[in-house]
Amino acid sequence: MSETIGNAKPAEKRKVNFSNILLGAGINMAEVTSLGQPLEVVKTTMAANRHLTFMGSIKNVWSRGGVFGFYQGLIPWAWIEASTKGAVLLFVATESEYRFKKWGLNNFESGILGGIAGGVAQSYLTMGFCTCMKTVEITRKKAVGEAGAVAQSSWGVFRSILAKDGLKGIYKGVNAVAIRQMTNWGSRFGFSRLIEDRIRKATGKTGKDDKLSALEKISASAIGGGLSAWNQPIEVIRVEMQSKTVDPNRPKNLTVGKTFKYILKTNGVKGLYRGIAPRIGLGVWQTVFMVGFGDMAREFVASLTGDMPVAKH
């Protein structure tokens, strides 16, 4: 049964235009270039090296290049991913959310299903090889400092994997990425919408023209982002499948199921939650950008393009 708030107007068809693409790419580029990639690097390091503590992971990353160690994989992989995945997410999630509302679902239900659709689409269309290559960069051994050795460039590693394993190697672990993204954005959009509705009721903003303040919207987004870390086991599985960390005991031809059993056997249930602290931080940071700042960026983008981007309410 659909849930409406006060005199909320029915779902309207919202035009998908160039502003949506610009907005999605711009927000993601800002997110990843600021705190996004450092949190991603620490989280991935902990998930790939499950014996490391949070502080141990930070020390490990620092030893690989100081401040620059926290930006491993940013250029080009994280930038390529950021400039494409946001556009796909906003495009698919917005259209899906609109359709679900037209079918009578409420904000919470539409937000979850729209986020799932957007997460799956961005996994297979844009994130597959970028996520794999970011993990490779973060976990591979660097030859810098070894006598007579020349460090292989990021593009060199990409070409080596492509030559050896083809597209299958570049898209290694993509199914785990899809599971992660559909649960990520289903949770983030869904929880954010649920919190927004509760804030509206608590503050009496039940009219169709009542809008949440910037602080209220960011708060809802941050809580939604933090709660989405419940799927950390999928993230640890994804990292293990794509990791270049040397482990002679790791089974060959890993699938999601094989990887789950391997981590459970070697590290127990605790191993499935390695890196959850930076993951929560990353979830909050990403969701504030994608859900909270999205609305605030609409008018600015509209002033540049003349098109009003789709609102994420």
Side-chain angles (χ1 to χ4, degrees), residues 43-166:
K43 174 200 70 174
T44 301
T45 300
M46 290 184 71
N49 303 277
R50 291 180 291 280
H51 63 284
L52 290 177
T53 62
F54 180 69
M55 288 307 300
S57 178
I58 290 177
K59 290 178 181 178
N60 178 281
V61 174
W62 183 269
S63 72
R64 290 164 59 90
V67 173
F68 294 106
F70 291 92
Y71 287 90
Q72 295 170 100
L74 176 66
I75 302 172
W77 311 116
W79 276 5
I80 293 173
E81 180 182 286
S83 63
T84 55
K85 73 173 184 178
V88 173
L89 175 67
L90 286 180
F91 184 97
V92 176
T94 297
E95 288 300 295
S96 299
E97 191 172 356
Y98 162 73
R99 296 295 176 184
F100 290 128
K101 286 181 179 178
K102 287 288 286 185
W103 292 340
L105 277 66
N106 60 36
N107 277 346
F108 176 58
E109 296 162 344
S110 299
I112 287 179
L113 295 176
I116 287 174
V120 170
Q122 70 176 185
S123 298
Y124 288 107
L125 293 177
T126 68
M127 289 186 66
F129 78 93
C130 289
T131 299
C132 182
M133 290 308 301
K134 281 195 304 179
T135 305
V136 167
E137 279 299 297
I138 293 168
T139 59
R140 73 184 176 102
K141 284 188 176 296
K142 304 292 178 73
V144 176
E146 295 180 11
V150 178
Q152 191 175 20
S153 70
S154 185
W155 281 110
V157 174
F158 176 83
R159 287 192 292 268
S160 296
I161 295 174
L162 189 61
K164 181 181 178 182
D165 301 312

Side-chain angles (χ1 to χ4, degrees), residues 153-233:
S153 70
S154 185
W155 281 110
V157 174
F158 176 83
R159 287 192 292 268
S160 296
I161 295 174
L162 189 61
K164 181 181 178 182
D165 301 312
L167 289 176
K168 185 177 180 180
I170 297 300
Y171 278 87
K172 188 176 182 180
V174 69
N175 290 333
V177 174
I179 295 171
R180 185 196 73 174
Q181 289 305 103
M182 67 182 286
T183 51
N184 266 1
W185 287 110
S187 299
R188 290 172 185 177
F189 280 119
F191 284 138
S192 295
R193 298 298 180 261
L194 182 62
I195 301 295
E196 285 176 10
D197 283 352
R198 295 299 176 264
I199 290 175
R200 288 181 184 280
K201 289 180 179 179
T203 58
K205 295 180 178 180
T206 56
K208 64 180 182 180
D209 295 322
D210 292 335
K211 295 182 179 181
L212 296 179
S213 68
L215 180 60
E216 288 169 339
K217 194 151 192 71
I218 290 174
S219 297
S221 301
I223 294 171
L227 291 175
S228 71
W230 66 267
N231 68 353
Q232 180 64 10

